[in-house]
Amino acid sequence: MASTIQIFTEFSRALRSTVTRQANWGILLAILAVIASTLFVAYMSAGELSIGAIGEAQRKNYALWVLDTMPVIFGLWGQYIGSLLAFEAGALVVDQTSKLRTQTEALEVQVLHGSTYDRLTDLPNRMLFHDRVEQAINNAKRNQEIMALLVLDMDEFKEVNNTLGHFSGDMLLKQLASRLRASVREIDTVARLGADEFAVLLPEIRQKDDAIHVARKLCQAMEREFILGGINLNMLMSIGVIFFPEHGGDVDTLLQKAEVALYLAKQTKGFSIEVYSPENDQHSTRRLTLLGELRQAIDHGGLLLHYQPKVDISSHRIVAVESLVRWQHPQYGMLPPDEFISLAERTGLIRPLTYWVIGEALKQCAAWQTHGFTIDVAVNVPVSVLLDSTFPERLEALLRQHRLAAGRLVVEITESSLMEDQEYALQLLSHLSSIGVRISIDDFGTGYSSLAYLRRLPVSEIKIDQSFVMGMLENENDAVIVHATIGLAHNLGMTAIAEGVAEAAILKKLTVWGCNLAQGHHISPPVDGKAITQLLGNSEWRMH
Ligand code: C2E
Ligand code: MG
Ligand code: MG
């Protein structure tokens, strides 16, 4: 980067040469004026233009003497003004340049901070935490030290969010973050890994008991009541602990094992601390096996997609399908998403998993299109992937790769997750909708979103949660919710879809209420792509 003095000298030189050029023109004009006046005076007084007459005119006419000084005055004045101007302008440019530079530097710091720190709590995020753990592993290896990693999770945080609202949930997380930070040393890192999941890195401990001592301190910090808008709350916490090098040599393995320890800790009610041990119980072994194998499964074809039709209630035609992932496990058989999606979310594998699902769903959608079945395909996208800034780009690349119009793709986002970072979510959804991808709010009715927020979102579909739909014939409250949500969707200009349509009587009622689409076991359970092709070609819900 050029120094301030350099900028100043170069700019002054450039400006001075421009002013000098203008002054030179002034001198030339003054000389021409002197010549013209001398000739004029000589001719007027002698009646001819000779050397003698010119000499005489110059000698006798005092006005010409004054005129003769003009080129010199112009020259000197030009130089003076030039230098003055150049100096002042140079100083101005230097001033502005350094101001701009300071602003740019501040902006760079802000951007870097934004991508490595959690917006709500201002604690390091998962990415930065990963780096810090990596560094700590290297240091510990070099100095032959042990280090500890703690993963923490509040019990029943979801309930706070759901009953008191997201604002209170956010306040609680902020208070928790500062209590955690205050309970550890300067060199320890406290990070927010996900919703209510935090992690603490203790890079320098002398013995394992030190880590247990810190874990207890963290629990003590939680024992004080949290005060949220006048309401006093007691929260409980579970902590999973692992040690390096005992439990693993790399960040991913350590984090995965800490998750297993946390899972075990959560089985005990109240404040609980659990140190990782592979023999602990059957379930942890299974969970651990799954954790270890999920990456392999994503990369090497262990996952598969099933599809569940969405039918247009008025025409009884399949218009779309929802893609639902399964894991064909060699030992445990076909695993439903509930067994591994949350694992994937906790370990960051949710990204590659989601992109695999989208790619696979688009491939299948393109194949149906070539067979003459133009239907939409929906995918479930968790908010952690949606808020990834490269998400729209990657989505567009996948659409291009499969030569599909963006309008074929529907992104399902759960209502509760949409509330996490509202402004950013709004920005990203607007981007997605501007490229033509449609957005559906999944599990609607369970997330407490505000109507004002909902109205601003570029959403095209509201998916009424199956818990209301399944019970709507027996339970009056559920019926009211389903009926009202259909009306709400229509008032907001959105499509209403009911999921969990398990019997004909439900479909009949939904028809009366004007619901647009239905999805559920009464129409078809999720089935593989081939079975969908058959349904599209030859069934009560066929396409043509
Ligand atoms: P969801 O997105 O709300 O999907 C609907 C779930 O309801 C599916 O369960 C479907 O099989 C089930 N369902 C639909 N109609 C009926 C019915 O009439 N009766 C009954 N008993 N169930 C019905 P599934 O496939 O087990 O998926 C469960 C959840 O797992 C999904 O809920 C979604 O949140 C998540 N999931 C599934 N696939 C993916 C995926 O590819 N990525 C992500 N991130 N999550 C996924
Ligand atoms: Mg869904
Ligand atoms: Mg749903």
Side-chain angles (χ1 to χ4, degrees), residues 305 308 322-326 336-338 341 345 350 353-354 357 379-382 412 414 442-443 463 465-466 470 499-503 519-522 524-526:
L305 283 190
Q308 192 174 32
E322 175 176 8
S323 320
L324 296 155
V325 70
R326 271 88 182 102
D338 294 345
I341 289 291
E345 279 180 342
I350 193 67
L353 184 146
T354 306
V357 168
V379 289
N380 292 286
V381 178
E412 289 191 11
T414 58
D442 205 353
D443 303 345
K463 232 177 154 181
D465 190 62
Q466 50 180 293
M470 282 174 170
E499 63 179 359
V501 179
E503 45 187 302
Q519 172 182 350
H521 286 186
H522 169 63
S524 162

Side-chain angles (χ1 to χ4, degrees), residues 414-450:
T414 58
E415 187 196 10
S416 45
S417 69
L418 264 180
M419 306 301 291
E420 270 182 25
D421 191 344
Q422 300 194 4
E423 280 313 307
Y424 194 43
L426 176 63
Q427 224 176 319
L428 267 164
L429 292 189
S430 306
H431 187 155
L432 284 187
S433 102
S434 75
I435 58 176
V437 171
R438 274 170 308 136
I439 292 130
S440 171
I441 303 191
D442 205 353
D443 303 345
F444 191 84
T446 60
Y448 301 85
S449 57
S450 86

